[in-house]
Amino acid sequence: MGAFRNLLGYTSNLLFGTVLVWLLIAVGLLLTIRTRGVQLRHLGTVLRAMIGSRGGAEGGISSFQAFAVGLACRVGTGNIVGVALALILGGPGAVFWMWLVALVGMATAFSEASLGQAFKVPRGDGTYRGGPAHYIAHGLRLPVLGGVFAVVFMLANGLAMPMVQANAMTAALTRSTPLGAWAGAALVALLVAPVLLGGLRAIARVTEWLTPVMALGYLLLVLLIILSHPLQAVQAVGDILAGAFNLRAGLAGTAGGLSAAVLNGVRRGLFSNEAGLGGAACAAGSATVAHPAQQGFVQAFGVLVDTMLVCTATALSILIAGRSDPAVFTPGATGAQDVDAAAGTLTQDAIAHMLGSWTSWPMTLLILVLAYSTILGAFSYAEVCLDYLTRAPWAAWLLRLGAVACAFVGGGAALTTVWSLADVLLGLGAVINLAALVALSGWVRALLRDWEVQQEEIRAGERSRPRFMGQGNPHLPTDLPHGAWGRGA
């Protein structure tokens, strides 16, 4: 067992420490080039993407609900602890590189969401399913590889992820209440069971309001800090820019130097916004929209929300508190003795220092909700993958019951091995997804071109709204091999 645990740890570190970092950057740059900088040329469209996204589901999952499900996984405890870790190791400059990698990730998010939409399949009940398994099977005509992705991603998101996130929820409960570990685990299972057992539609209905409220509440806390300490806020932004290029002494993290700022910022940005990992594409493919590119722009907006707003809010709260009192955070000194322990409480300590001890309960609640929403979002990805493998009702119920059981077990047990297993499965799925995105980049460009031509026709008064054709479309490489779109869906 010890050898297996060591192998998992080594593989996880290899995937997330080296292989995926370079793959995600390379694929993001390639897709940026192939789409001629879609995230820059259509930035206005990305910023307006949420307008009208709440309607039009016609019994299925709306564009906004799909966005909220994806955001539920993007905005997680990593936005609290992960950003703190990046600041400790890389210094304030890591935040700048986080921003830069988010810009590249927007092209990846646009691409996988658009493909998830284009190759989605109808279920016959007004809903759709799409995502990497479907565009691998139908776009690349590799159904077996699509099945491999589906199995890997289903196990990671449907069973392992509820365990690790429930463990985080239970830890937060036992720190703030007299509950024991297994009592906390039972409470967590009771909280997630009604939504998980309700399936994708129930998850979409909950995340539609839970995720935006959660993110908005956190942003308001940080906005209060910024407005009450404007000078320190300006200085914090200056530290970010100076640290990004090693322009000022004393801004290096404990890992030291410019390379540490770049590496830690890139890593945190890549794994926070999840662009390219394949999960958000599962949510995107379930939405009902008029054109695949529309959901691509919506998911690109999700990258902006995650990195430019939530991650930046965490960084600013820490840096402003450090400017106010170096004992809270000092680049190169904080976390020098125990990085993990410092990162685990740094954000909460910074906000409590700036706003008062009354914030301890709201922050505990925030961490609980972040972990809770991640369980919901991740499980929705698992359901999409299961749907690719089989539509047998008993299989769906077995997965739902298994997820609830895993949430209970994970809440009360030590999970070092499960954490590593989840990372390895997610990493392997991401490698498969990134290879598919490269192979299907011509489809991404074609979908974007079709949308751009239709926008020109709308401006010229030749049509009133977008209307995508899956067959007989001169912009597509070939006809889409299924009936989700037809000749003008």
Side-chain angles (χ1 to χ4, degrees):
M1 189 65 185
F4 177 66
R5 188 182 299 113
N6 291 335
L7 177 62
L8 283 178
Y10 172 79
T11 307
S12 174
N13 291 333
L14 178 65
L15 281 170
F16 285 88
T18 305
V19 175
L20 277 175
V21 170
W22 294 111
L23 273 178
L24 286 163
I25 292 174
V27 172
L29 288 173
L30 173 67
L31 293 171
T32 297
I33 293 169
R34 296 225 67 183
T35 59
R36 296 183 296 122
V38 60
Q39 68 271 55
L40 297 175
R41 292 192 299 115
H42 294 295
L43 181 59
T45 303
V46 172
L47 296 176
R48 296 190 300 270
M50 303 311 300
I51 298 175
S53 63
R54 295 185 66 92
E58 299 174 0
I61 305 300
S62 73
S63 179
F64 181 81
Q65 287 175 326
F67 161 79
V69 169
L71 192 64
C73 271
R74 283 192 172 109
V75 180
T77 52
N79 295 81
I80 305 295
V81 179
V83 174
L85 184 62
L87 284 174
I88 290 172
L89 294 175
V95 180
F96 175 84
W97 299 105
M98 205 182 299
W99 294 341
L100 195 63
V101 82
L103 186 64
V104 174
M106 288 173 66
T108 310
F110 171 84
S111 300
E112 62 182 354
S114 297
L115 288 172
Q117 267 292 313
F119 290 97
K120 69 184 180 182
V121 295
R123 299 189 77 249
D125 61 353
T127 65
Y128 297 92
R129 296 292 184 269
H134 293 83
Y135 55 70
I136 291 170
H138 302 299
L140 296 180
R141 293 182 172 83
L142 296 173
V144 174
L145 185 60
V148 171
F149 176 90
V151 170
V152 166
F153 227 58
M154 180 186 68
L155 293 175
N157 288 287
L159 301 179
M161 194 59 70
M163 293 183 78
V164 296
Q165 294 298 330
N167 190 264
M169 292 179 69
T170 303
L173 283 171
T174 54
R175 281 196 303 266
S176 304
T177 70
L179 288 174
W182 288 108
L187 178 59
V188 169
L190 287 174
L191 288 172
V192 300
V195 184
L196 294 188
L197 295 177
L200 183 57
R201 280 176 171 169
I203 291 171
R205 286 194 298 268
V206 171
T207 55
E208 182 178 22
W209 63 265
L210 181 64
T211 305
V213 168
M214 167 192 68
L216 183 60
Y218 182 55
L219 292 175
L220 287 176
L221 272 180
V222 178
L223 182 61
L224 184 58
I225 293 175
I226 294 172
L227 293 178
S228 59
H229 300 81
L231 177 60
Q232 289 93 333
V234 172
Q235 291 171 333
V237 174
D239 289 344
I240 291 171
L241 297 177
F245 303 100
N246 205 21
L247 299 179
R248 191 188 308 160
L251 293 179
T254 57
L258 177 61
S259 61
V262 175
L263 182 59
N264 285 284
V266 166
R267 283 179 179 174
R268 185 65 258 149
L270 288 171
F271 301 128
S272 176
N273 63 53
E274 292 193 350
L277 299 188
C282 294
S286 300
T288 303
V289 292
H291 195 286
Q294 287 179 301
Q295 198 62 30
F297 290 121
V298 167
Q299 294 300 339
F301 180 74
V303 173
L304 278 182
V305 171
D306 172 82
T307 305
M308 303 305 292
L309 293 181
V310 182
C311 286
T312 301
T314 297
L316 287 177
S317 66
I318 294 170
L319 293 175
I320 292 171
R323 277 283 179 176
S324 176
D325 183 356
V328 178
F329 176 72
T330 300
T334 300
Q337 302 301 318
D338 191 337
V339 172
D340 291 335
T345 61
L346 182 54
T347 305
Q348 296 95 308
D349 292 344
I351 291 177
H353 176 78
M354 301 306 295
L355 298 179
S357 59
W358 65 269
T359 59
S360 61
W361 264 104
M363 286 303 297
T364 298
L365 180 61
L366 175 69
I367 292 172
L368 286 171
V369 174
L370 286 171
Y372 181 78
S373 64
T374 301
I375 291 175
L376 301 185
F379 183 78
S380 75
Y381 301 164
E383 277 220 323
V384 170
C385 291
L386 177 65
D387 190 82
Y388 173 84
L389 298 168
T390 177
R391 292 190 179 179
W394 64 265
W397 275 104
L398 187 62
L399 180 63
R400 294 170 189 176
L401 292 172
V404 174
C406 284
F408 173 69
V409 173
L415 292 177
T416 304
T417 302
V418 177
W419 267 109
S420 297
L421 179 61
D423 284 345
V424 169
L425 292 173
L426 290 170
L428 291 175
V431 171
I432 296 172
N433 181 53
L434 289 169
L437 290 178
V438 172
L440 293 170
S441 58
W443 273 92
V444 175
R445 187 169 57 179
L447 293 169
L448 177 60
R449 180 55 185 159
D450 182 70
W451 182 85
E452 289 173 336
V453 168
Q454 293 198 33
Q455 293 303 302
E456 292 171 1
E457 293 174 348
I458 290 173
R459 287 191 290 270
E462 298 174 9
R463 67 166 64 230
S464 59
R465 61 184 181 87
R467 187 175 178 85
F468 181 68
M469 296 189 302
Q471 283 84 43
N473 189 325
H475 299 114
L476 300 183
T478 62
D479 285 349
L480 286 170
H482 49 76
W485 289 103
R487 292 181 173 275

